[in-house]
Amino acid sequence: MSNTLSVSSFNLILYSAQQRGAEYNVLCEKVGLTADMLQDPDARLPIRKVQELWKEAVEMTGDEHLALHIGESINTVAVGILAYVMMHCPTLGKALEKLCQYQDIVCDGSKTEFYIKDDLAYVTLTQLSEDMLYPQYAFESELSIYNEAVKGMLGRALPLHAVHFNYPAYSPHLSEYQRIFKTEQVLFESDITGIVFDKKYLDYPILNANPNLFPLFDKHAQSILSSLKQDNSIKEKVKKEILDGLKGEEPSLFNISRNLGIGLRSLQMKLKEEGVTFQQLLDDIRKNLAVQHLQETHLSTTDIAYLLGYSEPSVFFRSFKKWTGYTPNVYRKNPKMVA
């Protein structure tokens, strides 16, 4: 199962890189994406693609602390429904509970946990995705965003006891970490990655929280999370890519493998393990769409052939007869003949 990040969060990284001099189109091109692929904020991208973006963005901006700077580069409300849920919680403690509950809406490649120990509150991050080749970028950007989000919710910076990272420092200078998190205690090669603060702040109220809006946003977040967890199989991911690609041209497995951040042969093997081939998925989708479109009288068979990605109507005719035993025109006159 491939871990993913929301496109809206991917765009936040792009925006932060732009703020530091990176060219948007060049950066997209380097990671094999186009602006059109990033228009749907509810779409998802594989973690490996996000890791490629971080690497290229850091190199292009020359900012080794780009991930650390993302929190102060963006409006944390732009994180989406998760931010709205947290903003309308009654207290910081409740907001952090909701952060842990709904984090997968943003990214399911890491796990956020919140607990209390010895009068201290801990918000920690754990890597889940094997595709997270540069965990420092993911962890530092997440903690940076959390830190700024809490500041916005409380109307003041959260006094931290310490910030922990479970990997070695990749810079000899800790001053930027100390500036961002406003604490002298920045600890690398620790047992955890996360922030630590006095538990009394958990009872602090969220400024401008609206108790009437909270259940609405909470219900919406539950719905999104449920839909994400329904079916995350490779087969379903490929089917979605096929549907997105049927716009006047035939989707190719090569392009789909690139979009998913999975090698071509590896993708073929994963589909085989799920008992299906790319051609079977493509044919099934085209057949189902063809049957639907042929019931829409305003569409000509030439129009339908184009919508299904065929270069020539004659190829569509042959394919439809192969699937159903009838030509499209015969079926259109008697649609009940095809199950």
Side-chain angles (χ1 to χ4, degrees):
M1 185 177 293
S2 177
N3 298 107
T4 60
L5 179 84
S6 67
V7 161
S8 59
S9 297
F10 191 91
N11 283 330
L12 292 181
I13 303 173
L14 279 169
Y15 175 78
S16 185
Q18 273 187 288
Q19 294 294 97
R20 283 164 173 75
E23 294 186 35
Y24 180 91
N25 291 332
V26 174
L27 197 49
C28 287
E29 184 179 349
K30 281 183 174 292
V31 296
L33 296 173
T34 65
D36 289 342
M37 296 177 184
L38 304 174
Q39 292 303 305
D40 181 2
D42 296 321
R44 315 285 295 185
L45 288 171
I47 291 294
R48 186 173 291 275
K49 188 66 68 176
V50 183
Q51 294 290 284
E52 290 177 17
L53 174 63
W54 274 121
K55 182 175 181 296
E56 294 292 346
V58 169
E59 290 181 2
M60 193 175 293
T61 60
D63 181 2
E64 65 176 348
H65 294 309
L66 180 64
L68 200 62
H69 293 150
I70 192 170
E72 59 186 9
S73 299
I74 64 171
N75 182 346
T76 51
V77 174
V79 175
I81 186 63
L82 175 55
Y84 287 112
V85 171
M86 295 175 67
M87 283 168 50
H88 295 291
C89 286
T91 64
L92 176 60
K94 186 65 173 180
L96 293 176
E97 287 179 15
K98 290 300 176 180
L99 169 64
C100 297
Q101 181 179 352
Y102 295 132
Q103 188 218 353
D104 283 359
I105 293 175
V106 177
C107 176
D108 60 10
S110 63
K111 181 180 182 181
T112 301
E113 294 180 286
F114 155 56
Y115 58 90
I116 299 171
K117 180 180 179 182
D118 299 330
D119 292 328
L120 293 176
Y122 291 73
V123 179
T124 63
L125 301 174
T126 305
Q127 178 178 342
L128 298 180
S129 174
E130 295 179 356
D131 291 332
M132 196 176 286
L133 305 178
Y134 314 106
Q136 70 271 22
Y137 298 142
F139 289 160
E140 292 179 17
S141 62
E142 284 186 68
L143 290 182
S144 172
I145 291 172
Y146 292 173
N147 189 55
E148 286 296 319
V150 171
K151 180 180 177 181
M153 289 187 290
L154 298 183
R156 54 168 291 181
L158 180 65
L160 300 180
H161 276 238
V163 182
H164 296 256
F165 300 99
N166 67 351
Y167 48 83
Y170 54 91
S171 170
H173 307 293
L174 300 183
S175 58
E176 197 62 359
Y177 293 90
Q178 293 166 339
R179 182 185 72 81
I180 293 290
F181 295 107
K182 294 180 171 53
T183 178
E184 295 294 316
Q185 295 298 309
V186 179
L187 308 172
F188 284 88
E189 299 186 81
S190 177
D191 293 334
I192 62 169
T193 293
I195 56 175
V196 184
F197 55 93
D198 194 304
K199 72 174 186 179
K200 69 180 182 181
Y201 294 106
L202 298 175
D203 295 324
Y204 274 42
I206 303 299
L207 297 180
N208 303 316
N210 187 329
N212 295 319
L213 291 178
F214 171 74
L216 299 177
F217 289 128
D218 191 52
K219 184 177 181 180
H220 184 46
Q222 289 178 22
S223 175
I224 293 174
L225 188 62
S226 296
S227 66
L228 288 175
K229 294 183 179 296
Q230 280 180 354
D231 192 341
N232 203 29
S233 66
I234 290 295
K235 179 175 70 174
E236 290 303 315
K237 290 178 183 294
V238 171
K239 284 170 67 175
K240 183 180 183 304
E241 289 291 330
I242 290 173
L243 285 167
D244 290 343
L246 282 174
K247 297 173 182 176
E249 60 182 26
E250 180 172 327
S252 73
L253 188 58
F254 174 78
N255 287 336
I256 290 174
S257 70
R258 185 188 63 183
N259 292 344
L260 293 177
I262 304 173
L264 180 60
R265 290 188 178 181
S266 178
L267 181 55
Q268 290 173 319
M269 289 299 297
K270 289 177 184 292
L271 287 174
K272 185 177 180 180
E273 290 170 2
E274 294 183 10
V276 71
T277 66
F278 171 71
Q279 192 61 48
Q280 288 172 333
L281 292 177
L282 179 59
D283 286 347
D284 286 346
I285 289 172
R286 277 176 157 170
K287 175 187 173 183
N288 292 334
L289 287 176
V291 168
Q292 292 176 34
H293 290 326
L294 285 168
Q295 296 176 54
E296 300 170 17
T297 55
H298 65 283
L299 290 176
S300 69
T301 52
T302 299
D303 292 334
I304 295 171
Y306 172 80
L307 290 172
L308 297 180
Y310 287 103
S311 57
E312 296 290 339
S314 60
V315 181
F316 164 54
F317 278 50
R318 288 196 298 270
S319 296
F320 192 83
K321 188 169 185 179
K322 176 183 176 183
W323 299 329
T324 66
Y326 305 96
T327 65
N329 289 326
V330 169
Y331 166 77
R332 177 164 257 173
K333 293 176 182 177
N334 188 10
K336 293 183 179 180
M337 64 178 58
V338 178

